[in-house]
Amino acid sequence: MKRFCACLLALILALCALPWAGAAEEPAQEVTILFTHDLHSHFLPQADGEGGESGGYARLKTAIDAEKAEHPDALLLDGGDFSIGSLIQALYTTQAPELRTMGALGYDATTIGNHEFDHGGVGFADMLNAAADARDATLAAMLSSQAGAYDQETYGPATIRLPALLEANYTPAADNPDRDYIQDAMDRYGVQETLLLERGGVTFGIFGLMGQESHDYAPTSGFTLEPAAERCVESLREQGAEVIICLSHSGTSETPSQSEDELLAKAVDSIDVIVSGHTHTTLTEPIVVNDTYIVSAGPYCENLGSLTLELAGDGSLTLADYHLTPIDETLAEAPEIAALVEVWKEQVGETYLARYDLTYDQVLTESSFALPLPEEGVQAGNALGELAADAFLWATEHLAAETPEVRTVSVTAAGVLRAPLYAGDITVSEAFDVLSMGVGSDGTSGFPLVAVYLTGEELKAALEVDASVTSLMPEAQLYIGGMEYAFNVHRMFFNRVFDAAFRDPSDGGDSGAGETEIQDDQLYRVVTGMYSAQMLSTVKARSFGLLSLEPKLADGTPVTDFNDCILRDADGNEIKEWYALAAYLQSFGEDGVPARYAQPDGDGRKEVSTSWNPVELLRSPNGITLAVLAAAAAVILLVVLLVRWVVRRRRRRRADI
């Protein structure tokens, strides 16, 4: 009887356990997220310098379709900075080609990056309205019985689907005079903080964030930054989201204190995935922080990222697969996207380029060597930077309506150089890519050149910015036309330059030829791009007041509005940075880019020394070095006196004994 009861009890327990065992054995669901970020209007493939090509939205579409064939329920997301980086951006405010093409590619959602504000807050709103206009016109045409109701010439290619635009912590500032216009455009497009999306039986909660550094890099946005991540996560969880995704334009860094998305993952629980943009990082494996997967695919449409996670019944997520698909010449172009891009190219030629009498693919000249971008963190000359600086100097004499009889130098910075030039034919679009940032007072793409005046002493201070600040801010590295200088990286901060002089341009131009010595109290003309000019005015603050630099007008009064300093041609048009470079390249004709630009580290106009020679280290000391030397001498003297006092005291004690 005891045995029978024991067997019966065991059987009952086993039967009760069967449903639980079945639930535990239930297979996990797979969720796949396809992602990009920092596309920067890279609609077309670009040479990679190794005989191949990288990027291009028609090829990206092929990669997307291949991934979705394997994962039909995959999300397609983007981490912001989808604009600014190629000639097609010239249509940003009038046609919104970036968002409209992303819609055609099948993107579910994107967020806002700092470069979406290169045209200011109003330009951002104009872009949203252009996208909404195209969407509304297409819908109206579909609902109309008249075949010609959709005006193709006015609105461009038909666009119905647009990606959701998510932004939770970045809103028009209360004191922004254009706040109502911008907010109305955001509401019309449908900009929202969060998005709840069901796909393949899984409910996703998605939200977008702007990073602190990104906000700092968008000084003309007129927007304000405020905390929102925790609020968004809580709201999405309450609405039933099983997987929380943050589209963050913040980025990661090898410096922990500057790795904003890692800090976000540590600070806010329950974010499952962060698609991390802004820093142009390429992660071959996800960064995992606080059970959050942080992913980045690299900039400029170089790769399509794919993250597959297994969602267990208890809500936990484990990594099943992560890979990056290179977007290169091995992929075929999707014909519908290729045709759409061609429409954008035609519109750029008919509108923006027509005023320059140029075409998109027009060859300006050729080069038998490559001109690479500056190597980040390496203080050295750079042929591309020097080419751009020389182009600015050339433009003041060949394009500008007025050429004052005063010594002129030109300046550009590493941070505004956005693309290299490779060996072979150099086209109009490639010249634009090098200096593609910004917008002018005329509302069109490209920063204009400006001319300001600095004293000789301030000009030397600008050289000190290059010598001392570059190690902390690589984008602040300068390249100068019409000057040569030398500095030692081991010298005192803000006194690293030990030799500087003017030099006459090697192309035969006249920038005020004559004396080469820099006179501290004399005014000199400095030609640079609008962004770089604005940065010059921040030098005093960035150097803790140790360097004084104040851009001036020709009469010596301080500049209050850099728009007053814009260089214009005889017809009153702004001379854009990119056009100065394009025209300079075109001036080389069939001879090609001169051999003086063949050295990647420049032609020697900037000499960077690492010598420990005491003579070089102490040569031409300024007040900062003298003050430090005096302080060091005082400390040494104090130590000597203290030692002598201790020795004498001990001797007296011994004498007393």
Side-chain angles (χ1 to χ4, degrees):
M1 190 61 160
K2 289 181 180 179
R3 289 178 180 176
F4 174 76
C5 290
C7 289
L8 181 62
L9 180 61
L11 179 61
I12 292 171
L13 291 173
L15 290 172
C16 291
L18 282 176
W20 298 101
E25 293 172 2
E26 192 174 301
Q29 289 179 278
E30 278 196 350
V31 295
T32 296
I33 301 163
L34 308 178
F35 60 91
T36 58
H37 54 87
D38 299 289
L39 291 172
H40 287 295
S41 302
H42 274 52
F43 291 78
L44 290 156
Q46 295 190 322
D48 63 7
E50 298 177 357
E53 292 182 327
S54 177
Y57 293 169
R59 290 171 177 169
L60 175 62
K61 175 63 170 164
T62 299
I64 292 169
D65 289 347
E67 289 286 347
K68 287 196 171 184
E70 293 188 26
H71 307 282
D73 297 320
L75 300 182
L76 179 57
L77 306 173
D78 180 76
D81 265 6
F82 48 78
S83 63
I84 310 301
S86 78
L87 257 176
I88 292 177
Q89 76 187 48
L91 305 174
Y92 179 74
T93 59
T94 59
Q95 295 293 332
E98 291 84 3
L99 284 179
R100 293 169 66 185
T101 306
M102 290 175 77
L105 287 166
Y107 277 87
D108 294 296
T110 184
T111 191
I112 301 169
N114 51 289
H115 281 287
E116 272 68 86
F117 295 98
D118 274 21
H119 287 251
V122 171
F124 171 66
D126 289 341
M127 181 272 297
L128 295 180
N129 280 327
D133 284 345
R135 175 191 61 200
D136 296 348
T138 306
L139 289 172
M142 291 180 63
L143 295 173
S144 172
S145 59
Q146 299 177 6
Y150 180 71
D151 187 349
Q152 178 81 10
E153 292 185 1
T154 300
Y155 295 107
T159 304
I160 301 175
R161 192 181 191 281
L162 294 171
L165 191 52
L166 306 179
E167 187 54 69
N169 69 333
Y170 210 48
T171 56
D175 59 353
N176 186 336
D178 302 305
R179 185 177 188 276
D180 290 343
Y181 175 72
I182 297 169
Q183 190 61 58
D184 286 347
M186 294 173 69
D187 293 342
R188 184 182 174 209
Y189 182 92
V191 178
Q192 57 202 80
E193 291 189 350
T194 63
L195 175 67
L196 211 63
L197 189 64
E198 191 276 332
R199 191 68 60 79
V202 177
T203 302
F204 295 89
I206 313 169
F207 67 103
L209 293 180
M210 174 74 84
Q212 179 62 56
E213 185 180 77
S214 296
H215 168 57
D216 294 340
Y217 283 3
T220 63
S221 70
F223 278 47
T224 185
L225 199 65
E226 56 188 25
E230 288 189 15
R231 169 171 54 80
C232 290
V233 171
E234 291 175 5
S235 172
L236 289 167
R237 287 294 185 197
E238 289 173 359
Q239 296 177 70
E242 299 169 87
V243 179
I244 301 290
I245 304 170
C246 175
L247 307 180
S248 174
H249 201 72
S250 304
T252 55
S253 171
E254 293 181 358
T255 304
S257 62
Q258 298 175 11
S259 191
E260 292 189 44
D261 281 328
E262 289 187 76
L263 295 174
L264 172 65
K266 290 177 182 177
V268 181
D269 291 331
S270 297
I271 300 177
D272 296 309
V273 178
I274 297 176
V275 176
S276 178
H278 177 61
T279 50
H280 292 198
T281 306
T282 303
L283 294 176
T284 56
E285 295 292 338
I287 298 172
V288 184
V289 177
N290 195 18
D291 294 328
T292 299
Y293 293 92
I294 303 172
V295 296
S296 295
Y300 307 134
C301 195
E302 292 174 349
N303 301 293
L304 172 66
S306 176
L307 172 71
T308 298
L309 302 170
E310 288 187 349
L311 175 63
D314 61 0
S316 62
L317 290 163
T318 55
L319 181 65
D321 179 65
Y322 178 84
H323 64 270
L324 305 180
T325 300
I327 309 303
D328 57 25
E329 69 279 0
T330 64
L331 296 176
E333 293 190 343
E336 69 277 16
I337 300 300
L340 179 58
V341 173
E342 283 301 314
V343 171
W344 300 136
K345 284 179 61 178
E346 289 175 11
Q347 291 190 10
V348 171
E350 293 168 358
T351 57
Y352 186 75
L353 288 178
R355 74 193 70 175
Y356 299 105
D357 196 26
L358 295 171
T359 59
Y360 201 101
D361 295 317
Q362 179 179 340
V363 175
L364 298 169
T365 190
E366 63 88 27
S367 179
S368 59
F369 47 85
L371 292 99
L373 285 167
E375 187 175 350
E376 186 172 334
V378 177
Q379 289 180 281
N382 175 262
L384 182 65
E386 292 170 5
L387 174 72
D390 289 349
F392 296 173
L393 205 58
W394 181 90
T396 65
E397 299 168 13
H398 296 84
L399 302 179
E402 299 179 0
T403 306
E405 291 295 327
V406 61
R407 170 70 76 167
T408 302
V409 299
S410 58
V411 180
T412 193
V416 302
L417 301 173
R418 310 298 289 182
L421 291 174
Y422 294 115
D425 290 342
I426 299 175
T427 65
V428 170
S429 63
E430 290 170 335
F432 183 91
D433 290 347
V434 175
L435 295 163
S436 59
M437 287 177 59
V439 63
S441 63
D442 61 0
T444 66
S445 286
F447 280 127
L449 292 179
V450 299
V452 299
Y453 289 79
L454 298 176
T455 65
E457 185 176 7
E458 290 172 324
L459 198 54
K460 293 176 183 176
L463 302 181
E464 285 297 345
V465 171
D466 182 33
S468 297
V469 178
T470 297
S471 56
L472 305 175
M473 294 178 59
E475 63 272 17
Q477 184 159 197
L478 303 180
Y479 307 102
I480 298 181
M483 288 191 69
E484 57 187 9
Y485 59 106
F487 63 85
N488 187 306
V489 297
H490 300 310
R491 284 168 62 97
M492 184 64 58
F493 268 104
F494 306 124
N495 188 203
R496 290 184 168 177
V497 178
F498 59 84
D499 191 23
F502 294 116
R503 70 183 235 169
D504 294 330
S506 54
D507 68 347
D510 180 9
S511 65
E515 64 174 335
T516 60
E517 185 177 351
I518 302 172
Q519 304 297 325
D520 285 352
D521 58 352
Q522 185 171 328
L523 281 178
Y524 299 103
R525 192 168 180 245
V526 179
V527 174
T528 186
M530 176 68 80
Y531 183 80
S532 299
Q534 292 169 339
M535 291 299 100
L536 287 176
S537 62
T538 68
V539 166
K540 186 171 184 178
R542 291 176 181 269
S543 66
F544 311 103
L546 296 175
L547 297 177
S548 179
L549 198 159
E550 185 177 47
K552 303 171 183 61
L553 300 175
D555 61 4
T557 58
V559 173
T560 56
D561 186 351
F562 283 102
N563 287 325
D564 296 334
C565 307
I566 292 175
L567 284 185
R568 300 180 183 276
D569 63 20
D571 296 323
N573 299 312
E574 293 181 357
I575 300 175
K576 304 286 189 179
E577 285 183 306
W578 79 265
Y579 180 63
L581 176 61
Y584 185 49
L585 288 168
Q586 194 172 32
S587 73
F588 299 146
E590 295 180 357
D591 293 336
V593 178
R596 62 178 177 272
Y597 297 111
Q599 300 302 318
D601 291 336
D603 61 8
R605 69 185 71 180
K606 176 161 69 173
E607 180 184 337
V608 183
S609 173
T610 58
S611 171
W612 288 99
N613 186 323
V615 175
E616 188 174 293
L617 294 176
L618 297 175
R619 179 182 173 186
S620 304
N622 64 8
I624 298 172
T625 298
L626 292 174
V628 171
L629 289 175
V635 170
I636 293 171
L637 179 60
L638 183 62
V639 170
V640 171
L641 292 175
L642 182 61
V643 170
R644 290 185 63 185
W645 179 79
V646 170
V647 170
R648 287 179 178 178
R649 186 177 179 85
R650 288 181 176 177
R651 286 176 179 174
R652 287 175 183 173
R653 285 181 178 177
R654 290 175 182 173
D656 291 341
I657 294 174

